[in-house]
């Protein structure tokens, strides 16, 4: 009894076991047979579809800003660059704490941005950049830097600063201290002159302190001129840096061009090509150290009163030739001290003899009339003297051709 029961149980277990195996095989066979082209077309995942779904996205774009974030004592002339890897730059801004923007240039492939505007010393700048990878995903980066504090500042003035000037007035960027020769090109590259009507002209260095622009010919009356000096952040000599930019606008007035003949003792004054008056004058004694210089001069300044002092031209008090005279209606022509001015003490010689210390003497009434009709930048040409005009002695560039003046450019080849 017991034995037969046991056999039945084993037999039952065997049936169950083989049934399970047959069921498993049957299911496997059925599954393989059901993957048909039609079934796949109805949405059953295929091997290729599964591979596509698992493909990774493009790597994120990375942005590198140089100098590094938080950099200090950065030279204002140091390059500032923004570079993108694994993508392209879509936006770059650089601003000072004041809000002023710095211009920049983006490379053709949009991978590198380089600052082109000059940085000012002792200033904090913020650079913000955005780059996109191949999928259009953006990466943003912000960085700050601070420029160095210079030991001293290279100060300069733009002349004229405004107003109405004569047709011979040049544009002058005048520095307090001389600019090193190897720094002059840096200055020259960052100054511009635009005029209406347009003119051709040339920059040149009169000396180490004066960068001068002159048109090829005298300005046309009525011209509007705008000057921009984006020169902040240039080391003009060791530890001496420019700290500011500047710009100015001026207008060119009537063409007042006069000629002084030292031999006939006459001054012919013209306005826009028409003779207004011929004035009697007395100039410097011929053959002396104070003989009036020949050449084309430009009125540098006008003063209703000016004290003439021989010590400024090397004749000290107590020495022969010393003088100290208060004059009226003075118009400066040279840095060495030649003026057009009123000289009531020499009226008797005006028109017939040269008795001055180098200035052009006029009667009080003629000097007042000339003063009222003159302005800074008017042209006065002197002829008849054997003494030449030194190149540095005033705005003397009109004594050279435009091509000759152009050779004084720091950018001349």
């Amino acid at each position: 009894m017991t034995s037969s029961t046991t056999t039945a149980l084993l037999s039952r277990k065997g049936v169950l076991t083989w049934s399970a195996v047959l069921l498993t095989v049957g299911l496997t066979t059925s599954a393989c047979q059901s993957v048909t082209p039609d079934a796949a077309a109805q949405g059953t995942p295929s091997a290729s579809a599964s591979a596509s779904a698992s493909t990774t996205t493009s790597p994120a774009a990375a942005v590198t800003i140089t100098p590094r974030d938080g950099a200090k004592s950065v030279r204002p002339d140091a390059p500032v660059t923004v570079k993108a890897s694994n993508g392209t730059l879509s936006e770059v801004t650089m601003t000072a704490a004041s809000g002023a923007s710095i211009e920049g240039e983006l490379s053709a492939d949009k991978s590198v941005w380089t600052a082109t505007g000059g940085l000012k010393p002792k200033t904090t700048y913020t650079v913000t950049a955005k780059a996109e990878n191949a999928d259009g995903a953006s990466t943003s980066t912000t960085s700050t830097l601070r420029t160095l504090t210079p030991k001293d500042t290279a100060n300069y003035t733009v002349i004229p600063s405004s107003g109405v000037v004569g047709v011979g007035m040049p544009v002058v960027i005048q520095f307090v201290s001389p600019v090193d020769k190897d720094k002059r090109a840096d200055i020259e590259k960052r100054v511009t002159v635009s005029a209406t009507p347009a003119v051709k002209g040339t920059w040149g260095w009169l000396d180490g302190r004066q960068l001068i622009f002159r048109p090829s010919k005298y300005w046309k009356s009525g011209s509007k001129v705008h000057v921009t000096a984006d020169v902040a952040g240039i080391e003009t000599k060791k530890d001496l840096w420019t700290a500011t930019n500047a710009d100015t606008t001026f207008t060119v007035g009537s063409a007042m061009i006069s000629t002084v003949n030292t031999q006939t003792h006459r001054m012919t004054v013209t306005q826009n090509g028409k003779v207004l008056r011929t004035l009697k004058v007395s100039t410097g004694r011929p053959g002396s150290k104070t003989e009036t210089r020949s050449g084309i001069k430009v009125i540098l300044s006008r003063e209703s009163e000016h004290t003439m002092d021989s010590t400024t031209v090397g004749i000290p008090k107590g020495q022969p030739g010393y003088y100290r005279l208060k004059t009226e209606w003075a118009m400066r022509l040279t840095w060495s001290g030649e003026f057009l001015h009123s000289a009531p003490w020499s009226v008797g010689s005006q028109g017939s003899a040269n008795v001055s210390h180098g200035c052009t003497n006029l009667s009080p009434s003629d000097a007042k009339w000339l003063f009222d009709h003159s302005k800074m930048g008017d042209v006065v040409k002197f002829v008849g003297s054997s003494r030449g005009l030194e190149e540095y002695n005033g705005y003397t560039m009109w004594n050279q051709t435009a091509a000759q003046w152009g050779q004084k450019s720091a950018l001349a080849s």
Side-chain angles (χ1 to χ4, degrees):
M1 179 74 176
T2 304
S3 176
S4 62
T5 302
T6 304
T7 302
L9 287 173
L10 288 173
S11 175
R12 187 174 297 170
K13 287 182 179 179
V15 171
L16 290 174
T17 300
W18 283 107
S19 297
V21 171
L22 289 172
L23 179 60
T24 302
V25 172
L27 288 173
T28 303
T29 304
S30 175
C32 291
Q33 291 175 345
S34 68
V35 180
T36 63
D38 289 340
Q42 293 172 7
T44 304
S46 66
S48 60
S50 298
S52 176
S54 65
T55 301
T56 59
T57 58
S58 300
V63 177
T64 303
I65 299 176
T66 305
R68 61 176 176 76
D69 183 30
K72 296 181 179 180
S73 297
V74 176
R75 286 177 61 94
D77 56 3
V80 178
T81 60
V82 180
K83 296 182 179 180
S85 56
N86 300 326
T88 58
L89 294 168
S90 58
E91 182 180 334
V92 179
T93 60
M94 183 173 183
T95 56
S98 64
S101 297
I102 299 298
E103 297 296 322
E105 186 175 86
L106 189 63
S107 63
D109 63 0
K110 298 184 179 180
S111 66
V112 181
W113 180 92
T114 305
T116 55
L119 307 187
K120 295 181 179 180
K122 200 178 178 181
T123 303
T124 298
Y125 292 93
T126 300
V127 182
T128 300
K130 182 184 291 185
E132 295 182 354
N133 69 359
D135 296 330
S138 295
T139 300
S140 296
T141 305
T142 298
S143 178
T144 62
L145 64 91
R146 184 169 178 79
T147 52
L148 60 76
T149 298
K151 291 183 178 180
D152 204 352
T153 300
N155 296 313
Y156 68 94
T157 303
V158 179
I159 304 171
S161 59
S162 61
V164 179
V165 301
V167 296
M169 185 67 207
V171 174
V172 185
I173 312 296
Q174 184 166 313
F175 288 84
V176 174
S177 301
V179 177
D180 285 351
K181 283 188 176 182
D182 62 345
K183 302 294 184 179
R184 294 176 190 176
D186 294 336
I187 297 290
E188 199 170 328
K189 289 176 184 176
R190 289 164 54 179
V191 291
T192 58
V193 174
S194 58
T196 305
V199 298
K200 293 182 178 180
T202 308
W203 289 99
W205 289 85
L206 184 63
D207 53 32
R209 295 175 54 246
Q210 298 180 89
L211 172 61
I212 292 179
F213 174 90
R214 54 151 280 190
S216 298
K217 299 178 181 179
Y218 295 142
W219 297 103
K220 184 177 179 180
S221 294
S223 295
K224 305 292 184 182
V225 185
H226 183 74
V227 184
T228 301
D230 289 328
V231 297
I234 296 177
E235 189 178 28
T236 59
K237 61 190 309 180
K238 185 174 176 55
D239 296 326
L240 192 65
W241 292 81
T242 51
T244 59
N245 295 319
D247 65 86
T248 183
T249 300
F250 62 89
T251 301
V252 180
S254 59
M256 297 291 293
I257 301 176
S258 303
T259 301
V260 175
N261 189 316
T262 63
Q263 296 185 3
T264 64
H265 319 293
R266 296 291 189 276
M267 178 178 185
T268 303
V269 183
T270 68
Q271 183 182 59
N272 299 326
K274 179 182 178 181
V275 175
L276 295 184
R277 285 193 185 183
T278 298
L279 310 175
K280 295 179 180 181
V281 300
S282 179
T283 60
R285 293 178 175 84
S288 71
K289 292 183 179 180
T290 60
E291 181 177 3
T292 302
R293 298 164 176 83
S294 61
I296 301 173
K297 305 170 189 177
V298 173
I299 294 179
L300 305 173
S301 63
R302 297 164 63 255
E303 302 171 57
S304 58
E305 290 187 357
H306 183 86
T307 299
M308 305 292 177
D309 191 334
S310 66
T311 60
T312 62
V313 292
I315 305 176
K317 187 176 182 178
Q319 294 296 315
Y322 170 78
Y323 59 87
R324 184 177 174 81
L325 300 168
K326 182 178 290 187
T327 64
E328 294 182 317
W329 320 122
M331 292 151 275
R332 181 184 284 272
L333 298 173
T334 69
W335 301 126
S336 63
E338 287 187 14
F339 287 78
L340 302 161
H341 66 79
S342 171
W345 57 85
S346 70
V347 169
S349 298
Q350 292 167 19
S352 59
N354 293 321
V355 297
S356 82
H357 293 98
C359 290
T360 301
N361 291 177
L362 299 114
S363 70
S365 60
D366 284 349
K368 176 65 165 60
W369 176 86
L370 184 62
F371 186 89
D372 289 343
H373 285 77
S374 296
K375 53 194 171 297
M376 183 174 67
D378 284 349
V379 177
V380 185
K381 182 178 181 180
F382 284 76
V383 298
S385 170
S386 61
R387 185 184 185 190
L389 176 64
E390 302 89 349
E391 189 175 79
Y392 59 83
N393 201 359
Y395 298 149
T396 61
M397 69 294 304
W398 295 113
N399 293 284
Q400 301 176 43
T401 65
Q404 289 172 330
W405 180 249
Q407 290 304 305
K408 295 185 177 297
S409 167
L411 302 175
S413 56

